[in-house]
Amino acid sequence: MTAFSDSSPVRRALELDIVQVMWWRELVRYGRDRSQMFGGLSRTLLWLVVLGFGLGATLREIEGYSYAQYILPGVVILNVLFASLQSAMALVWDRQTGLMREVLTSPAPMLSVVLGKVAGGATVAVIQGSIPLAFAPLLGFDLSLAKVLMAWAVMASTGVTITAVGIVIACRSSAFESFGSVSNGVIQPLYFLSGAIFPLKGIVGGAGFLDIPASLRAELRRYGVYAIGGGWVVELPDWLKLLVHLNPVSYPLDLLRLVLLGFGQLPLAASLCAVTILPAIMLAVAARSMAGLRQP
């Protein structure tokens, strides 16, 4: 005896075969699009090498971490943002080519369609986010399997949220070109107002802590000492800190930095809520937006 009958509301709303097909289609699309892979690698090299080591020559450290180490979690999230919205952007193309019209006129449950597409977008986002993560050992990160798994979980949650946001935008976009401009207008504010480049408050530009042997630095961090000597304390203005706190991307980024570096500045409870509650909310909103496309 099965848990749900074929005529039950749950069965009608969730068809795992459809979820799997939509998920697999996103992976096939990603595998054929080498530009996405190139974009993920180029963004990683640009931000880590040019910004991380270029600006890092002036800002030697932030809270006892090299500047390249500090911005690595932000580069991971940046790749996740681009990959997620690019997966959602394909929905506009599908509507123009007629494939999505076939889906909309079929009896397929819209929740299953959205779940499959969002799952595919989140999977691609994790792959893209893993590109800068692969550079972590070269920057002095001590990665363990547990840290990598937790980082993937944060990436997947962020990928679900942002892909769902992209679907909502795509459902309201009539042209492929308009979605591109809107998505750029979404990615840049979310990224630059997330604390990816500068901390909310911290010791920046100092000299000394990174010159201490790594074993002693680790011991000092156990006692809450992250910086020593000639740095200066920077703090964002209140209005900018408010925008950072209102930015939903700030919380998974801070949680990812906490996982990889052990350093975070936002309330842990708020970050955990953001990576568990926001995906569910945005999934519901995306499913509702997709269902609206079926209305004449």
Side-chain angles (χ1 to χ4, degrees):
M1 183 175 181
T2 58
F4 304 107
S5 65
D6 291 343
S7 59
S8 68
V10 175
R11 181 68 176 177
R12 291 197 302 268
L14 184 60
E15 292 286 349
L16 294 181
D17 290 344
I18 297 175
V19 174
Q20 183 179 2
V21 167
M22 296 299 295
W23 170 77
W24 182 249
R25 183 171 181 270
E26 293 299 315
L27 294 188
V28 171
R29 188 202 304 270
Y30 172 71
R32 293 175 177 174
D33 187 4
R34 296 184 181 180
S35 64
Q36 285 197 63
M37 304 177 198
F38 175 77
L41 181 59
S42 63
R43 278 190 298 271
T44 298
L45 295 177
L46 176 65
W47 284 88
L48 287 183
V49 177
V50 177
L51 186 64
F53 291 99
L55 189 56
T58 301
L59 304 177
R60 288 197 58 194
E61 59 187 68
I62 293 182
E63 287 292 305
Y65 298 99
S66 71
Y67 191 64
Q69 288 177 329
Y70 180 83
I71 67 172
L72 177 69
V75 179
V76 171
I77 293 296
L78 182 62
N79 271 7
V80 169
L81 292 177
F82 268 101
S84 301
L85 278 181
Q86 195 158 355
S87 294
M89 184 167 57
L91 177 61
V92 181
W93 178 258
D94 288 343
R95 288 173 62 191
Q96 289 183 345
T97 58
L99 178 61
M100 188 50 62
R101 285 197 295 269
E102 295 180 6
V103 174
L104 293 174
T105 56
S106 72
M110 196 50 63
L111 178 61
S112 299
V113 174
V114 172
L115 278 175
K117 188 160 186 64
V118 167
T123 303
V124 172
V126 171
I127 296 172
Q128 289 287 89
S130 298
I131 295 176
L133 190 63
F135 287 80
L138 300 178
L139 301 178
F141 283 80
D142 182 20
L143 287 184
S144 63
L145 178 59
K147 286 184 177 180
V148 172
L149 293 176
M150 285 189 287
W152 282 346
V154 175
M155 288 184 231
S157 170
T158 308
V160 168
T161 301
I162 302 303
T163 303
V165 169
I167 289 175
V168 174
I169 297 173
C171 289
R172 289 162 171 76
S173 300
S174 57
F176 188 79
E177 295 78 7
S178 63
F179 183 85
S181 60
V182 171
S183 64
N184 284 329
V186 171
I187 290 176
Q188 294 184 26
L190 288 177
Y191 179 70
F192 286 107
L193 293 175
S194 65
I197 302 176
F198 296 106
L200 294 175
K201 181 179 180 180
I203 299 178
V204 177
F209 194 81
L210 294 181
D211 297 327
I212 299 175
S215 58
L216 181 55
R217 291 203 306 270
E219 185 69 20
L220 289 171
R221 283 171 178 151
R222 289 179 54 193
Y223 294 96
V225 178
Y226 292 88
I228 294 177
W232 61 89
V233 177
V234 298
E235 184 172 6
L236 298 180
D238 291 339
W239 66 270
L240 194 51
K241 285 196 291 186
L242 176 62
L243 292 178
V244 173
H245 281 88
L246 292 176
N247 182 2
V249 175
S250 301
Y251 297 95
L253 171 59
D254 196 70
L255 185 58
L256 183 62
R257 186 175 285 127
L258 183 64
V259 168
L260 297 177
L261 288 177
F263 171 68
Q265 292 196 304
L266 297 175
L268 179 59
S271 298
L272 292 175
C273 287
V275 298
T276 54
I277 298 176
L278 271 181
I281 293 175
M282 289 313 305
L283 269 173
V285 175
R288 185 178 180 86
S289 297
M290 285 281 286
L293 296 178
R294 279 181 166 168
Q295 297 176 0

